[in-house]
Amino acid sequence: MRRVNKNERVRIALALNGRKLAAAAEPRTLLSDFIRQNLGSTGTHVGCEHGICGACTVLIDGVAARSCLTLAVQAEGREVKTVESLAAPDGTLNPLQAAFRANHALQCGFCTPGILMSFTDYLARNPHPSSAEIREVLSGHLCRCTGYAGIVKAVEEVASSAPAKAGKGDHASEAKHGGRGV
Amino acid sequence: MSGQLGKPMLRKEDPALLSGRGRYADDLPVAVGTLHAHVIRSPHAHAAIVRIDAAAALAHDGVWAVITGEDVRKLSDPFLAPVKAPVRQWSLAVERVRYVGEPVVLVVAESRYVAEDAAELVQIDYEPLAAVIDPVAACQADAPILHPEAGTNEVSVRDFSYGDPQGAFARADRRIAMTVPFHRLSFTPIECYVVVAAHNAAEGSYDALANFQGPFSMHPVMARALRVPGPKLRLRIPPDSGGSFGIKLSVFPFVVLMALAAKITGRPVKWVEDRIEHLLAASSGPNRVTRIEAAVNNNGRVLALKLDQLEDYGAFLRAPMPGPLYRMHGAVTGAYDIAHVEVKNRVVLTNKMPASLIRGFGGPQLYLALERLMHRIAVELKLDPLDVMRRNLVPAQKFPYHAAAGALYDSGDYARAVEKTIGDGRLADLKRRRDAARQAGRLYGIGFAAVVEPAMSNMGYLSTLMTAAAREKAGPKSGAVSMATVNIDPLGAVTVTADVTVQGQSHETVLAQIVAQELGLKPDDIEVVLEMDTAKDQWSIAAGTYSSRFASGTAVAAHIAAVQMRDKLKTIAAKQLNVLPGDVELAGGKIRSRSNPDNALPFGRVAGTSHWSPMLLPESMAPALSETGVWSPQELEAPSRDDRINTSLTYGFIFDMCGIEIDPVTYQVRVDRYVSMHDAGRIMNPTIAEGQIRGAFAQGIAAALYEEFSYNEEGAFLSGTFADYLVPTVSEIPEVEILHMESPSPFTPLGAKGLAEGNCMSTPACIANAIADALAVRDVVLPATPRRIHELMQHNEK
Amino acid sequence: MKPRPFDYVRPDTAEEAVALLADYGDEARILAGGQSLIPMLNLRLIDPAVLIDISRIAGLDVIADRGNFIEIGAAVTQNALMGWPDLKLKLPLLAAALPFVGHFQTRNKGTVCGSVAHADPSSEIPLTLAVCGGAVVLRGKRGERVLAADAFQQDMLTTAREPDELIAAVRFPVIEGKGVAFDEVARRHGDFAIIAVAAIADGRGEVTLGVGGMAGRPMLRSIVGDAAGAIAVWAGELEGYEDLHASAALRRDLLRNLGPRVVAEAIRCAA
């Protein structure tokens, strides 16, 4: 049983983008603040801190989640991935990032990291989503600059160029993210 | 256009932003020992501050200071404002609070978490006062007065008359009038405000970083409030900003507040606004009630207009308010050739958050009234709305066109824009859809809107709110200066700086295109550095990113700087190539003889000459190291003695057409088809142009159907979270078909006009007209929510 | 928007969680997905002394087929349930309702039981549970009790859970051979509904209709025959309530408009 008392700062260790890191935080420290301020990765942005805008979305054990609605201590021992993990070490953009660039899917870019992380999770589960499915996932994010059209196009482009093996409704891969049937 | 300009290209901004390598205000390193602030805000719409007890908060571990309005009053002066009414505002409430969310106390602590803990220990006693929320009620004699020193809430009233409106109203066949309200909203950038301020007691200077947007007319306001000369307030704006849409201007009181907190604590102080604060009290567009009346003949020709514009700025009138009321002033007749106009502009204060800049800036309010009126004229005269609009559009042969209130429309062919929009079967298709829907008993309507989109404001426009005599006394204000600089390093690498702030408009990319084109380079060869430092960068009172000034302003300055640099390099190269300067061209990274392209030098070799060997330069030539382009167009004259004002430099045109259907089960408005025609002069980058239009369209839809700051009668704020303030998601934004034509502006060397605000102005009006058509109603209040549509339909049934 | 301080405990077993609840009572809050709880913490709307994080307790993340009903453990996320292969077959009404619950990103963390515990009056999962005649499994130090959904949710954000009880699971009866339909009206996709309507048709002419967003909790009505008439009367009886997005009159009319459509859809589906 893990127990941390209020106002107590304890060492919280997790893997951020493949690197094991740790820093001291209180139980109430939000994961969004922990990643940005304690671990120094500022690519994840904070836009509302009540779970609606989606800017702070990161992957926790591969699953897209609002880091503002997660305590740092909840992510203890987990694998956290942020936008900084997407490009190659030499800066080469991955296909999703490149499609965003090609389709003018960002302007100010503040909401973009969260959107990229949502689709990183979703496209891993469903590599060939329909336009409606893309919109459904995107509706969990607010973007004020683009009117969304370029974002939809960018994801469609990635979806249409992905290798055609895993099909739609890949329940097997979804099931690994949570409930086990008994 | 040859070269890079006019072509799409991948944005220079994107690789960093897509990789989490953006440098937004909250990402930048801060000094060791930086403290964190939290603002305690008023829960009351109107109350006297009786007592503030900070003892318990000050005793809390990690707390450095608890700062009140009295501290602020001692250390700073009230903000300067354009309206000379005795309405004084500091960065914290003094004696009284006048809106829910008004900053009352600043708690400074070692972390934001601790600051918020301590804030709960501050005891503030208020004595509630009667509040007034409705702008019309606020003008009544028995209304509670927000600022007793002013004696009234209606702090500025001006009457204007152009031509002979009385005569025109007397001879017209009909008078048709409407009252049209426009609501409060913000476009809520996803990044909230950020300020980091430091005070250097030895120098008596402040250094502040903020995600501010300019205009730098606000820098003097901040410096004066802090009681320092301008150079003692060094303001830095980070390289990236998470959107603004006008909203980031209103960070300025917090720049002053954090600067004071830094002075009081002796430590740098950082404040990151949270979303709840942002929605509650950051900024809002002003709400307006327009009574508009047309003198019209039976054929639909409008002879004259009368407007009574009552604009509600909330609790304070901050600079540069009342901008939205005057920014459109010269163009108050919109797209129509109407010679006789009477305007009454009234500014009222109420117990709501202060209003300020917002994308569209006065356009949405004006055009909703004007375009609803044009539609109404058609209904009352039993004419086709499109025919009424066409009958009144400014004719193509009249350009450049002097509008009644002083705007000088540079170019356009409005009638042709309309024909192109409705052509190719588009209008026929809309009518087919409408007829089929109506035959099936469904509620379908068609709307139109014609809008003139101004860009690059005349710095003198706001002085129109003073009488000609007062203007003369205060000194003339006019013009708008833009600046950009092209620099060359020892190896001939090129960098560009400019007087804009970044907010997502792709300035880096377009500036690189402009400069690359003149220097014969690729845009990727050009580094564009747009973080702003008022101590070191070029800037004027007009600098910043607002009122679509980039395309008509800074882009031109960059072009001028690049041309200056190009011509110098030609002269230098001519000597080295042994040809006449007229024979030199810059292309493909080379500087060469036009007549003998083999006679060429690498660009870097020539460009580096001024560093390595200035002695090699042609005689009497200053080295070509840095060229600043300054653009100051002559058309932006001061207001005339009879109050005519050319409010902006360029005027684009938009014609929108849409079909909407109202769901009788859910009372939701569904946009069935939307077409938007833009004439923004020359397009510098089509991809970016489309991105700006789509973004403005989404915000236009938001204003028409979703977003509203709501207050109850007591002034409580009801839109305090993103669950209540409804920013549309992808599911709520319909498709828009974008059309273009190009009528280059003769007043700028690039021929480009602004285009990023247009749909914020046209789309609410177009949708409102379509709703009025669908329900056959006269009054449509925006946003047209299910609740309002339901009420309209109940009303219709009775 | 930062939470007040609180203790954090992450028990390894349900027994430990129950023991902690017995110690802290109403000073404690259960943290599972956190999608409703953490916004309230960030807004400082609640002030718990301790959060008990049950998200890693083995055995609580199980979807168990018990024959007549499906038992969904306290740590099962909404998306995990959506990915459960038998969902459409055995719980078709829930399958129809889940896409309306928040967004992909919040469903990744938000739990089925958390939604039931939060008891928002227009929330889809509690409505579905009520219409299905489901139940809530409560575990406390004194033992386990199973409450019918109807008895569990009492009013807006108010349930019959005792402060020392853990919602260990919810039970959804398996629906076979019946028709179901779900629909709602929300301002934006993924928002809490203004009203949400769910129906089960038994194939013999009787329809159980439930509505969220008309009262402090889901309301049920059995419909036989003239659905439009019955629903119109019912909407009047329920009155509805007013908030920023809807007047009570709008809510009543939405029920009058949407109800018959959903009933007809359920009957069609049953046939």
Side-chain angles (χ1 to χ4, degrees), chain B residues 612-637:
Chain B
W612 299 108
S613 188
M615 296 307 132
L616 279 183
L617 299 181
E619 220 168 302
S620 80
M621 184 177 172
L625 296 164
S626 176
E627 289 294 326
T628 296
V630 181
W631 166 237
S632 179
Q634 297 309 299
E635 287 78 11
L636 297 178
E637 295 174 0

PDB file of all heavy atoms in Angstrom, chain B residues 612-637:
ATOM      1  N   TRP B 612      33.516  41.789 -43.982  1.00  0.00           N
ATOM      2  CA  TRP B 612      34.936  41.455 -44.113  1.00  0.00           C
ATOM      3  C   TRP B 612      35.766  42.580 -44.690  1.00  0.00           C
ATOM      4  O   TRP B 612      36.928  42.750 -44.329  1.00  0.00           O
ATOM      5  CB  TRP B 612      35.110  40.214 -45.001  1.00  0.00           C
ATOM      6  CG  TRP B 612      34.446  38.993 -44.445  1.00  0.00           C
ATOM      7  CD1 TRP B 612      33.322  38.397 -44.910  1.00  0.00           C
ATOM      8  CD2 TRP B 612      34.867  38.220 -43.320  1.00  0.00           C
ATOM      9  NE1 TRP B 612      32.993  37.300 -44.155  1.00  0.00           N
ATOM     10  CE2 TRP B 612      33.931  37.171 -43.154  1.00  0.00           C
ATOM     11  CE3 TRP B 612      35.948  38.321 -42.408  1.00  0.00           C
ATOM     12  CZ2 TRP B 612      34.033  36.219 -42.152  1.00  0.00           C
ATOM     13  CZ3 TRP B 612      36.045  37.364 -41.412  1.00  0.00           C
ATOM     14  CH2 TRP B 612      35.095  36.333 -41.278  1.00  0.00           C
ATOM     15  N   SER B 613      35.163  43.299 -45.618  1.00  0.00           N
ATOM     16  CA  SER B 613      35.982  44.251 -46.336  1.00  0.00           C
ATOM     17  C   SER B 613      35.183  45.468 -46.783  1.00  0.00           C
ATOM     18  O   SER B 613      34.955  45.680 -47.975  1.00  0.00           O
ATOM     19  CB  SER B 613      36.594  43.546 -47.560  1.00  0.00           C
ATOM     20  OG  SER B 613      37.524  44.387 -48.167  1.00  0.00           O
ATOM     21  N   PRO B 614      34.730  46.232 -45.815  1.00  0.00           N
ATOM     22  CA  PRO B 614      33.930  47.403 -46.190  1.00  0.00           C
ATOM     23  C   PRO B 614      34.679  48.330 -47.145  1.00  0.00           C
ATOM     24  O   PRO B 614      34.054  49.098 -47.874  1.00  0.00           O
ATOM     25  CB  PRO B 614      33.625  48.079 -44.849  1.00  0.00           C
ATOM     26  CG  PRO B 614      34.478  47.407 -43.830  1.00  0.00           C
ATOM     27  CD  PRO B 614      34.880  46.083 -44.361  1.00  0.00           C
ATOM     28  N   MET B 615      36.007  48.221 -47.193  1.00  0.00           N
ATOM     29  CA  MET B 615      36.771  49.073 -48.110  1.00  0.00           C
ATOM     30  C   MET B 615      36.459  48.742 -49.565  1.00  0.00           C
ATOM     31  O   MET B 615      36.683  49.548 -50.450  1.00  0.00           O
ATOM     32  CB  MET B 615      38.286  48.882 -47.879  1.00  0.00           C
ATOM     33  CG  MET B 615      38.757  49.311 -46.512  1.00  0.00           C
ATOM     34  SD  MET B 615      38.261  51.002 -46.136  1.00  0.00           S
ATOM     35  CE  MET B 615      37.588  50.824 -44.518  1.00  0.00           C
ATOM     36  N   LEU B 616      35.978  47.521 -49.792  1.00  0.00           N
ATOM     37  CA  LEU B 616      35.672  47.123 -51.180  1.00  0.00           C
ATOM     38  C   LEU B 616      34.348  47.699 -51.672  1.00  0.00           C
ATOM     39  O   LEU B 616      34.006  47.567 -52.836  1.00  0.00           O
ATOM     40  CB  LEU B 616      35.597  45.593 -51.277  1.00  0.00           C
ATOM     41  CG  LEU B 616      36.917  44.831 -51.389  1.00  0.00           C
ATOM     42  CD1 LEU B 616      36.646  43.342 -51.541  1.00  0.00           C
ATOM     43  CD2 LEU B 616      37.704  45.339 -52.593  1.00  0.00           C
ATOM     44  N   LEU B 617      33.588  48.283 -50.734  1.00  0.00           N
ATOM     45  CA  LEU B 617      32.272  48.783 -51.136  1.00  0.00           C
ATOM     46  C   LEU B 617      32.438  49.978 -52.068  1.00  0.00           C
ATOM     47  O   LEU B 617      33.423  50.703 -51.988  1.00  0.00           O
ATOM     48  CB  LEU B 617      31.469  49.219 -49.907  1.00  0.00           C
ATOM     49  CG  LEU B 617      31.167  48.116 -48.876  1.00  0.00           C
ATOM     50  CD1 LEU B 617      30.350  48.694 -47.726  1.00  0.00           C
ATOM     51  CD2 LEU B 617      30.413  46.972 -49.530  1.00  0.00           C
ATOM     52  N   PRO B 618      31.453  50.165 -52.923  1.00  0.00           N
ATOM     53  CA  PRO B 618      31.497  51.355 -53.781  1.00  0.00           C
ATOM     54  C   PRO B 618      31.612  52.609 -52.909  1.00  0.00           C
ATOM     55  O   PRO B 618      31.133  52.645 -51.779  1.00  0.00           O
ATOM     56  CB  PRO B 618      30.149  51.316 -54.500  1.00  0.00           C
ATOM     57  CG  PRO B 618      29.704  49.895 -54.427  1.00  0.00           C
ATOM     58  CD  PRO B 618      30.277  49.337 -53.156  1.00  0.00           C
ATOM     59  N   GLU B 619      32.221  53.584 -53.467  1.00  0.00           N
ATOM     60  CA  GLU B 619      32.493  54.814 -52.741  1.00  0.00           C
ATOM     61  C   GLU B 619      31.220  55.408 -52.127  1.00  0.00           C
ATOM     62  O   GLU B 619      30.150  55.336 -52.726  1.00  0.00           O
ATOM     63  CB  GLU B 619      33.091  55.845 -53.705  1.00  0.00           C
ATOM     64  CG  GLU B 619      34.209  56.653 -53.095  1.00  0.00           C
ATOM     65  CD  GLU B 619      34.935  57.432 -54.179  1.00  0.00           C
ATOM     66  OE1 GLU B 619      35.435  56.780 -55.117  1.00  0.00           O
ATOM     67  OE2 GLU B 619      34.970  58.656 -54.061  1.00  0.00           O
ATOM     68  N   SER B 620      31.335  55.916 -50.956  1.00  0.00           N
ATOM     69  CA  SER B 620      30.262  56.610 -50.235  1.00  0.00           C
ATOM     70  C   SER B 620      29.075  55.704 -49.900  1.00  0.00           C
ATOM     71  O   SER B 620      28.006  56.175 -49.573  1.00  0.00           O
ATOM     72  CB  SER B 620      29.751  57.837 -51.009  1.00  0.00           C
ATOM     73  OG  SER B 620      28.855  57.439 -52.023  1.00  0.00           O
ATOM     74  N   MET B 621      29.281  54.416 -49.979  1.00  0.00           N
ATOM     75  CA  MET B 621      28.164  53.529 -49.654  1.00  0.00           C
ATOM     76  C   MET B 621      28.303  53.013 -48.221  1.00  0.00           C
ATOM     77  O   MET B 621      29.366  52.562 -47.824  1.00  0.00           O
ATOM     78  CB  MET B 621      28.171  52.347 -50.614  1.00  0.00           C
ATOM     79  CG  MET B 621      26.987  51.439 -50.391  1.00  0.00           C
ATOM     80  SD  MET B 621      27.010  50.111 -51.597  1.00  0.00           S
ATOM     81  CE  MET B 621      25.708  49.123 -50.940  1.00  0.00           C
ATOM     82  N   ALA B 622      27.213  53.120 -47.474  1.00  0.00           N
ATOM     83  CA  ALA B 622      27.220  52.559 -46.118  1.00  0.00           C
ATOM     84  C   ALA B 622      27.170  51.039 -46.235  1.00  0.00           C
ATOM     85  O   ALA B 622      26.559  50.506 -47.160  1.00  0.00           O
ATOM     86  CB  ALA B 622      26.009  53.064 -45.345  1.00  0.00           C
ATOM     87  N   PRO B 623      27.814  50.335 -45.319  1.00  0.00           N
ATOM     88  CA  PRO B 623      27.820  48.873 -45.414  1.00  0.00           C
ATOM     89  C   PRO B 623      26.408  48.292 -45.425  1.00  0.00           C
ATOM     90  O   PRO B 623      25.506  48.818 -44.775  1.00  0.00           O
ATOM     91  CB  PRO B 623      28.573  48.439 -44.152  1.00  0.00           C
ATOM     92  CG  PRO B 623      29.380  49.624 -43.759  1.00  0.00           C
ATOM     93  CD  PRO B 623      28.597  50.822 -44.192  1.00  0.00           C
ATOM     94  N   ALA B 624      26.265  47.191 -46.157  1.00  0.00           N
ATOM     95  CA  ALA B 624      24.955  46.524 -46.264  1.00  0.00           C
ATOM     96  C   ALA B 624      24.878  45.432 -45.205  1.00  0.00           C
ATOM     97  O   ALA B 624      25.004  44.256 -45.493  1.00  0.00           O
ATOM     98  CB  ALA B 624      24.776  45.955 -47.666  1.00  0.00           C
ATOM     99  N   LEU B 625      24.712  45.853 -43.951  1.00  0.00           N
ATOM    100  CA  LEU B 625      24.666  44.904 -42.834  1.00  0.00           C
ATOM    101  C   LEU B 625      23.255  44.724 -42.314  1.00  0.00           C
ATOM    102  O   LEU B 625      22.846  43.666 -41.895  1.00  0.00           O
ATOM    103  CB  LEU B 625      25.545  45.407 -41.690  1.00  0.00           C
ATOM    104  CG  LEU B 625      27.033  45.500 -41.982  1.00  0.00           C
ATOM    105  CD1 LEU B 625      27.704  46.360 -40.924  1.00  0.00           C
ATOM    106  CD2 LEU B 625      27.644  44.121 -42.008  1.00  0.00           C
ATOM    107  N   SER B 626      22.523  45.794 -42.326  1.00  0.00           N
ATOM    108  CA  SER B 626      21.211  45.800 -41.695  1.00  0.00           C
ATOM    109  C   SER B 626      20.389  46.884 -42.375  1.00  0.00           C
ATOM    110  O   SER B 626      20.810  48.035 -42.437  1.00  0.00           O
ATOM    111  CB  SER B 626      21.377  46.106 -40.202  1.00  0.00           C
ATOM    112  OG  SER B 626      20.118  46.195 -39.595  1.00  0.00           O
ATOM    113  N   GLU B 627      19.248  46.495 -42.905  1.00  0.00           N
ATOM    114  CA  GLU B 627      18.375  47.477 -43.554  1.00  0.00           C
ATOM    115  C   GLU B 627      17.009  47.423 -42.891  1.00  0.00           C
ATOM    116  O   GLU B 627      16.396  46.350 -42.801  1.00  0.00           O
ATOM    117  CB  GLU B 627      18.226  47.161 -45.054  1.00  0.00           C
ATOM    118  CG  GLU B 627      19.483  47.435 -45.859  1.00  0.00           C
ATOM    119  CD  GLU B 627      19.837  48.922 -45.911  1.00  0.00           C
ATOM    120  OE1 GLU B 627      18.914  49.758 -45.929  1.00  0.00           O
ATOM    121  OE2 GLU B 627      21.049  49.229 -45.922  1.00  0.00           O
ATOM    122  N   THR B 628      16.546  48.542 -42.425  1.00  0.00           N
ATOM    123  CA  THR B 628      15.217  48.608 -41.828  1.00  0.00           C
ATOM    124  C   THR B 628      14.255  49.268 -42.809  1.00  0.00           C
ATOM    125  O   THR B 628      14.534  50.358 -43.311  1.00  0.00           O
ATOM    126  CB  THR B 628      15.247  49.389 -40.508  1.00  0.00           C
ATOM    127  OG1 THR B 628      16.064  48.663 -39.585  1.00  0.00           O
ATOM    128  CG2 THR B 628      13.852  49.550 -39.918  1.00  0.00           C
ATOM    129  N   GLY B 629      13.191  48.572 -43.088  1.00  0.00           N
ATOM    130  CA  GLY B 629      12.147  49.144 -43.935  1.00  0.00           C
ATOM    131  C   GLY B 629      11.112  49.823 -43.055  1.00  0.00           C
ATOM    132  O   GLY B 629      10.664  49.255 -42.054  1.00  0.00           O
ATOM    133  N   VAL B 630      10.776  51.041 -43.409  1.00  0.00           N
ATOM    134  CA  VAL B 630       9.755  51.772 -42.657  1.00  0.00           C
ATOM    135  C   VAL B 630       8.633  52.102 -43.615  1.00  0.00           C
ATOM    136  O   VAL B 630       8.857  52.680 -44.677  1.00  0.00           O
ATOM    137  CB  VAL B 630      10.320  53.064 -42.039  1.00  0.00           C
ATOM    138  CG1 VAL B 630       9.238  53.793 -41.244  1.00  0.00           C
ATOM    139  CG2 VAL B 630      11.513  52.743 -41.146  1.00  0.00           C
ATOM    140  N   TRP B 631       7.420  51.735 -43.244  1.00  0.00           N
ATOM    141  CA  TRP B 631       6.260  51.901 -44.121  1.00  0.00           C
ATOM    142  C   TRP B 631       5.249  52.768 -43.403  1.00  0.00           C
ATOM    143  O   TRP B 631       4.798  52.442 -42.311  1.00  0.00           O
ATOM    144  CB  TRP B 631       5.698  50.508 -44.452  1.00  0.00           C
ATOM    145  CG  TRP B 631       4.335  50.446 -45.073  1.00  0.00           C
ATOM    146  CD1 TRP B 631       3.261  49.766 -44.583  1.00  0.00           C
ATOM    147  CD2 TRP B 631       3.897  51.015 -46.322  1.00  0.00           C
ATOM    148  NE1 TRP B 631       2.191  49.877 -45.434  1.00  0.00           N
ATOM    149  CE2 TRP B 631       2.552  50.646 -46.506  1.00  0.00           C
ATOM    150  CE3 TRP B 631       4.534  51.811 -47.285  1.00  0.00           C
ATOM    151  CZ2 TRP B 631       1.809  51.036 -47.620  1.00  0.00           C
ATOM    152  CZ3 TRP B 631       3.786  52.209 -48.405  1.00  0.00           C
ATOM    153  CH2 TRP B 631       2.452  51.820 -48.558  1.00  0.00           C
ATOM    154  N   SER B 632       4.966  53.903 -44.012  1.00  0.00           N
ATOM    155  CA  SER B 632       4.050  54.848 -43.384  1.00  0.00           C
ATOM    156  C   SER B 632       3.134  55.406 -44.472  1.00  0.00           C
ATOM    157  O   SER B 632       3.434  56.406 -45.091  1.00  0.00           O
ATOM    158  CB  SER B 632       4.861  55.973 -42.719  1.00  0.00           C
ATOM    159  OG  SER B 632       3.990  56.908 -42.135  1.00  0.00           O
ATOM    160  N   PRO B 633       2.030  54.717 -44.721  1.00  0.00           N
ATOM    161  CA  PRO B 633       1.187  55.094 -45.861  1.00  0.00           C
ATOM    162  C   PRO B 633       0.518  56.456 -45.677  1.00  0.00           C
ATOM    163  O   PRO B 633       0.098  56.813 -44.584  1.00  0.00           O
ATOM    164  CB  PRO B 633       0.143  53.974 -45.913  1.00  0.00           C
ATOM    165  CG  PRO B 633       0.148  53.373 -44.562  1.00  0.00           C
ATOM    166  CD  PRO B 633       1.515  53.571 -43.978  1.00  0.00           C
ATOM    167  N   GLN B 634       0.433  57.158 -46.794  1.00  0.00           N
ATOM    168  CA  GLN B 634      -0.082  58.539 -46.765  1.00  0.00           C
ATOM    169  C   GLN B 634      -1.602  58.618 -46.657  1.00  0.00           C
ATOM    170  O   GLN B 634      -2.150  59.653 -46.307  1.00  0.00           O
ATOM    171  CB  GLN B 634       0.354  59.272 -48.059  1.00  0.00           C
ATOM    172  CG  GLN B 634       1.856  59.405 -48.194  1.00  0.00           C
ATOM    173  CD  GLN B 634       2.488  60.001 -46.942  1.00  0.00           C
ATOM    174  OE1 GLN B 634       2.176  61.116 -46.559  1.00  0.00           O
ATOM    175  NE2 GLN B 634       3.363  59.240 -46.296  1.00  0.00           N
ATOM    176  N   GLU B 635      -2.269  57.497 -46.969  1.00  0.00           N
ATOM    177  CA  GLU B 635      -3.741  57.550 -47.003  1.00  0.00           C
ATOM    178  C   GLU B 635      -4.360  57.664 -45.610  1.00  0.00           C
ATOM    179  O   GLU B 635      -5.538  57.994 -45.474  1.00  0.00           O
ATOM    180  CB  GLU B 635      -4.299  56.304 -47.701  1.00  0.00           C
ATOM    181  CG  GLU B 635      -4.091  56.292 -49.210  1.00  0.00           C
ATOM    182  CD  GLU B 635      -2.665  55.912 -49.611  1.00  0.00           C
ATOM    183  OE1 GLU B 635      -1.899  55.454 -48.732  1.00  0.00           O
ATOM    184  OE2 GLU B 635      -2.320  56.084 -50.793  1.00  0.00           O
ATOM    185  N   LEU B 636      -3.561  57.360 -44.569  1.00  0.00           N
ATOM    186  CA  LEU B 636      -4.139  57.343 -43.220  1.00  0.00           C
ATOM    187  C   LEU B 636      -4.061  58.730 -42.589  1.00  0.00           C
ATOM    188  O   LEU B 636      -3.274  58.995 -41.682  1.00  0.00           O
ATOM    189  CB  LEU B 636      -3.427  56.286 -42.356  1.00  0.00           C
ATOM    190  CG  LEU B 636      -3.610  54.857 -42.866  1.00  0.00           C
ATOM    191  CD1 LEU B 636      -2.842  53.873 -41.981  1.00  0.00           C
ATOM    192  CD2 LEU B 636      -5.083  54.471 -42.924  1.00  0.00           C
ATOM    193  N   GLU B 637      -4.906  59.605 -43.072  1.00  0.00           N
ATOM    194  CA  GLU B 637      -4.898  60.986 -42.598  1.00  0.00           C
ATOM    195  C   GLU B 637      -5.630  61.114 -41.267  1.00  0.00           C
ATOM    196  O   GLU B 637      -6.444  60.270 -40.905  1.00  0.00           O
ATOM    197  CB  GLU B 637      -5.576  61.883 -43.638  1.00  0.00           C
ATOM    198  CG  GLU B 637      -4.793  61.941 -44.940  1.00  0.00           C
ATOM    199  CD  GLU B 637      -5.536  62.710 -46.026  1.00  0.00           C
ATOM    200  OE1 GLU B 637      -6.650  63.194 -45.756  1.00  0.00           O
ATOM    201  OE2 GLU B 637      -4.992  62.803 -47.137  1.00  0.00           O
TER     202      GLU B 637
END
